[in-house]
Amino acid sequence: MRKLVAAPLFVATLLLAACGTSNQSGGSSATAISSGSSGAAGAPAPAATAVTGTVALESQNIPVTPDAKLTLSLVDVTQQPGVTVNTQNFAPPQFPQPFHIPFSPSAINGKDLYVVQATMQDNGRTWSTKLQQPVLTHGQPANVKLTLSAEPTPAEKMMDDFQQAKRQTGAMKVKSGTSSKIGESRSWQVFSDVHGIEFIILQVNQADKGFTKTEYAYRNELPWVVVREQMPKPNAPATSTERAGWDDQGVLVLKEQVSDGKTTTLSDSDAKALHDQAEAEYKKFAKHH
């Protein structure tokens, strides 16, 4: 669960939004704490004793595993840091997931601003709401509809960074070469800048075993990302792809294998083999750099 530290400007913005806008879901089933509304007989309506609603997913294309854990928190964001009034957990959640976060009315200060925070952790991915939902005070409802959006995983962020870095190779120095022996031909491109070798692209054509293209990317002279594609011949669609990547501390972050359209986890031993090959290729070409 993430804690929210509400800066004064942030709180002021939410207060203005709370006073001037309605709930994003467009509805409420409970009386706001500070509304002061009255019933048909003129008596004050009973104060809400829970925040309720549902949580849905923005995208249905990303599967949610049985290991998913959804956490909802009622938080007073006027306080610094934010003060959690109560939480509710679902493990795993079932979407759309109804929720009911009870609280004591005496715990609510009508002058403060309260929000419902929702986060979900699943298989290395974080899901969260794009906007925080004000509730209870300043005319805000006690029943809300929340939508969770998927954030990129560390592995996805690494691949995005890899693709961006790859597009910058056009501005680097490049050295190319070829070699051949019976039953095999090789070609390579080595891209470098002021920091040294940044990329190596190695292609190996073995008539009886097919064609392999391997892209090695480096940071601080160390293996960063390796992508290896296997195909029956040059320029044919890849039949299998292996991806491995390491952070600045050498921790394996990206380990993925795609075969026949199915994505699975690359084994640690296969990832290590790619790392060792990346080191060997770097040392070989660095001698002539």
Side-chain angles (χ1 to χ4, degrees):
M1 181 180 69
R2 299 181 298 179
K3 290 187 177 180
L4 173 66
V5 178
L9 179 59
F10 169 73
V11 173
T13 302
L14 282 179
L15 283 170
L16 287 173
C19 294
T21 62
S22 62
N23 163 35
Q24 67 179 22
S25 67
S28 169
S29 65
T31 303
I33 294 295
S34 62
S35 64
S37 61
S38 60
T49 58
V51 174
T52 60
T54 58
V55 183
L57 299 180
E58 181 181 58
S59 173
Q60 302 297 325
N61 297 326
I62 302 175
V64 176
T65 75
D67 296 325
K69 181 179 180 181
L70 170 66
T71 299
L72 294 113
S73 301
L74 174 61
V75 181
D76 182 346
V77 295
T78 304
Q79 306 297 317
Q80 298 184 27
V83 175
T84 299
V85 178
N86 201 3
T87 63
Q88 186 177 23
N89 296 314
F90 299 92
Q94 301 294 323
F95 295 101
Q97 177 64 64
F99 65 89
H100 180 278
I101 308 175
F103 59 85
S104 171
S106 62
I108 303 300
N109 184 338
K111 296 181 179 180
D112 287 357
L113 180 65
Y114 295 83
V115 300
V116 175
Q117 297 176 358
T119 59
M120 182 171 71
Q121 299 294 330
D122 184 30
N123 197 28
R125 186 186 304 280
T126 297
W127 298 70
S128 61
T129 54
K130 292 181 178 179
L131 297 174
Q132 300 207 59
Q133 176 61 58
V135 291
L136 298 177
T137 58
H138 302 283
Q140 294 302 309
N143 179 271
V144 293
K145 293 181 180 179
L146 306 176
T147 301
L148 291 177
S149 301
E151 299 177 8
T153 64
E156 289 170 344
K157 291 178 182 178
M158 179 172 284
M159 278 305 301
D160 286 344
D161 290 344
F162 169 78
Q163 295 297 344
Q164 291 181 15
K166 186 177 172 181
R167 288 191 287 269
Q168 297 175 9
T169 56
M172 298 181 185
K173 295 180 180 179
V174 58
K175 292 183 179 180
S176 304
T178 60
S179 68
S180 62
K181 61 182 180 180
I182 297 176
E184 178 184 289
S185 63
R186 290 174 172 251
S187 65
W188 59 83
Q189 291 178 300
V190 181
F191 299 87
S192 59
D193 57 17
V194 294
H195 304 292
I197 295 175
E198 300 291 335
F199 273 86
I200 297 173
I201 299 178
L202 176 64
Q203 300 182 104
V204 180
N205 192 356
Q206 295 175 300
D208 58 339
K209 296 181 180 179
F211 184 82
T212 302
K213 177 182 178 181
T214 309
E215 297 174 320
Y216 302 99
Y218 302 88
R219 278 187 173 176
N220 301 319
E221 303 181 356
L222 296 173
W224 171 39
V225 175
V226 179
V227 177
R228 171 165 293 172
E229 296 178 306
Q230 184 72 38
M231 54 201 75
K233 60 182 180 180
N235 301 319
T239 55
S240 66
T241 303
E242 295 177 323
R243 302 185 183 100
W246 302 264
D247 63 15
D248 293 340
Q249 287 71 47
V251 176
L252 182 62
V253 173
L254 170 64
K255 45 181 179 179
E256 182 177 273
Q257 182 168 341
V258 182
S259 181
D260 297 325
K262 183 179 180 180
T263 302
T264 57
T265 300
L266 184 69
S267 69
D268 289 346
S269 59
D270 287 343
K272 185 179 184 305
L274 292 178
H275 187 278
D276 292 344
Q277 292 161 15
E279 283 187 324
E281 294 297 333
Y282 187 93
K283 291 178 181 177
K284 179 173 68 176
F285 287 109
K287 293 179 181 179
H288 308 287
H289 176 67

